[in-house]
């Protein structure tokens, strides 16, 4: 009897663990990940992004402000795992300290500098020669880097051309392309709002930018308000925007698994990674 009771307790514990695992898996697959992006292009340009899951049990926040810099944080059950730091203010403080140090140093060096006489003509000539050498070195390095990149692109192009000519690889490429389109459609936001006044600095490019924006029907569907400023001689962007949506993990996971288990896609992956 004692042995049967122990087996019964073990079975109940295993059943509870399995039910918890199923519930967690179902929650991950079928509870959506919600995202929200706010864009502020008025006086203090900035952007805020929030990604949350299941009553903010897990959340990620990203913020960029023109004056304060970048800050981000990842929280689980309200506990910060990493982030919540700003990169630019720290760099500014270091720069300020460096400037103060240089100012103090220059102030201390002022009485000594009065007693030192420097030949200005020789200094100008040496500066010119150093600048000329630096410019020639830069141009040579730029030309060599461009040539190496062009050669690298040619090799990649020839490799892909040879791979795509195979019929099996063409089928795999079509499957990957269709899968990416499906994932992008399922990740599209539910709401996109934009109200902005802009100028590129010249009437021609301002009109071209408006024409490009008019080619996308998403603006008409979400009733965007884009007002071009043809009279301004300075480029600027004033306005606000909102992007809001949700992503279901199962809608992304199942197409990815289909690609992963496809023999032709795995064959293409092996050929590319050789």
């Amino acid at each position: 009897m004692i042995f049967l009771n122990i087996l019964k307790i073990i079975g109940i514990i295993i059943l509870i663990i399995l039910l918890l695992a199923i519930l967690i898996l179902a929650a991950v697959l079928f509870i959506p990940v919600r995202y929200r992006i706010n864009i502020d292009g008025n006086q203090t340009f900035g952007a805020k992004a929030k990604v949350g899951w299941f009553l903010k049990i897990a959340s990620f926040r990203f913020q960029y402000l023109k004056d304060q810099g970048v800050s981000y944080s990842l929280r689980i059950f309200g506990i910060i795992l990493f982030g919540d730091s700003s990169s630019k203010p720290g760099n500014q403080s270091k720069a300020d300290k460096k400037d103060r140090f240089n100012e103090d140093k220059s102030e201390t060096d002022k009485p000594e500098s009065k007693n030192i006489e420097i030949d200005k003509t020789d200094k100008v000539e040496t500066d010119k020669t150093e600048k000329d050498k630096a410019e020639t070195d830069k141009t040579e390095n730029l030309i060599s880097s461009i040539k190496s990149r062009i050669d690298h692109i040619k090799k990649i192009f020839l490799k892909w051309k040879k791979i795509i000519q195979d019929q099996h690889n063409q089928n795999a490429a079509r499957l990957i392309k269709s899968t990416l389109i499906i994932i992008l459609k399922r990740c599209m936001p539910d709401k996109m709002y934009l109200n902005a006044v802009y100028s590129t600095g010249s009437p021609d490019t301002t009109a071209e930018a408006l024409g490009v924006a008019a080619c996308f029907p998403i603006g008409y569907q979400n009733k965007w308000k884009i007002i071009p400023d043809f009279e301004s001689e300075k480029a600027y962007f004033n306005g606000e925007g909102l992007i809001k949506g949700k992503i279901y993990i199962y809608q992304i996971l199942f197409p990815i698994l289909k690609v992963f288990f496809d023999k032709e896609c795995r064959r293409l992956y092996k050929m590319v990674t050789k």
Side-chain angles (χ1 to χ4, degrees):
M1 292 293 293
I2 296 171
F3 181 70
L4 291 175
N5 289 329
I6 293 169
L7 288 176
K8 186 177 180 181
I9 293 167
I10 293 170
I12 291 168
I13 293 169
I14 292 170
L15 183 62
I16 291 169
I17 292 169
L18 288 173
L19 288 173
L20 285 173
I22 291 168
L23 286 173
I24 292 169
L25 182 63
V28 171
L29 290 176
F30 297 104
I31 294 177
V33 177
R34 300 182 183 275
Y35 63 90
R36 181 187 180 96
I37 301 170
N38 294 92
I39 301 168
D40 185 7
N42 295 317
Q43 294 179 355
T44 58
F45 181 81
K48 296 179 181 179
K50 296 179 182 178
V51 181
W53 177 77
F54 196 18
L55 300 174
K56 297 182 180 179
I57 289 175
S59 64
F60 178 78
R61 294 185 179 185
F62 176 86
Q63 180 176 333
Y64 169 75
L65 295 175
K66 187 178 179 180
D67 298 331
Q68 299 178 5
V70 177
S71 62
Y72 56 90
S73 63
L74 176 64
R75 298 170 183 260
I76 295 178
F77 292 104
I79 300 169
I80 298 174
L81 294 183
F82 69 86
D84 202 11
S85 62
S86 180
S87 61
K88 288 187 178 179
N91 292 329
Q92 288 176 358
S93 63
K94 289 179 181 178
D96 293 336
K97 289 179 181 178
K98 191 175 180 181
D99 292 335
R100 288 175 184 174
F101 177 75
N102 290 327
E103 286 176 359
D104 295 335
K105 189 177 179 182
S106 62
E107 286 177 358
T108 56
D109 292 341
K110 277 181 181 178
E112 294 180 359
S113 61
K114 290 179 181 179
N115 299 324
I116 298 171
E117 294 180 356
I118 300 170
D119 192 354
K120 293 182 180 180
T121 56
D122 294 337
K123 189 176 179 181
V124 170
E125 289 178 358
T126 53
D127 290 338
K128 285 182 180 180
T129 54
E130 288 177 357
K131 286 181 181 179
D132 294 334
K133 287 180 181 179
E135 288 178 358
T136 53
D137 292 335
K138 284 181 181 180
T139 53
E140 288 177 357
N141 292 328
L142 181 63
I143 292 167
S144 61
S145 63
I146 290 169
K147 286 181 179 179
S148 62
R149 287 180 183 179
I150 290 169
D151 294 334
H152 183 64
I153 291 167
K154 285 180 180 179
K155 288 179 181 178
I156 293 171
F157 178 76
L158 293 172
K159 183 180 178 181
W160 276 99
K161 186 178 179 181
K162 186 178 179 180
I163 290 170
I164 294 298
Q165 285 176 353
D166 190 357
Q167 184 65 34
H168 297 287
N169 294 333
Q170 289 179 3
N171 295 330
R174 289 193 196 98
L175 179 61
I176 293 169
K177 182 181 176 181
S178 62
T179 303
L180 289 174
I181 292 169
I182 290 167
I183 291 171
L184 287 173
K185 285 182 179 179
R186 291 175 179 176
C187 293
M188 287 294 291
D190 301 327
K191 185 178 180 181
M192 292 183 71
Y193 168 77
L194 182 64
N195 186 4
V197 180
Y198 79 97
S199 175
T200 60
S202 66
D204 297 335
T205 54
T206 302
E208 289 175 1
L210 183 64
V212 171
C215 294
F216 296 95
I218 192 169
Y220 299 106
Q221 294 172 1
N222 292 273
K223 297 179 180 180
W224 287 2
K225 294 180 181 178
I226 304 173
I227 301 171
D229 185 0
F230 297 105
E231 296 179 358
S232 177
E233 296 180 355
K234 294 182 179 180
Y236 71 93
F237 177 85
N238 291 333
E240 56 185 1
L242 172 66
I243 300 171
K244 186 179 179 182
K246 56 183 178 293
I247 301 170
Y248 289 93
I249 301 298
Y250 77 91
Q251 292 181 342
I252 299 172
L253 183 62
F254 293 158
I256 291 172
L257 290 175
K258 185 179 178 182
V259 172
F260 180 77
F261 288 108
D262 187 77
K263 292 181 179 179
E264 294 178 351
C265 290
R266 294 174 74 176
R267 179 173 173 270
L268 178 61
Y269 175 77
K270 289 179 181 178
M271 291 179 69
V272 171
T273 54
K274 279 184 179 180

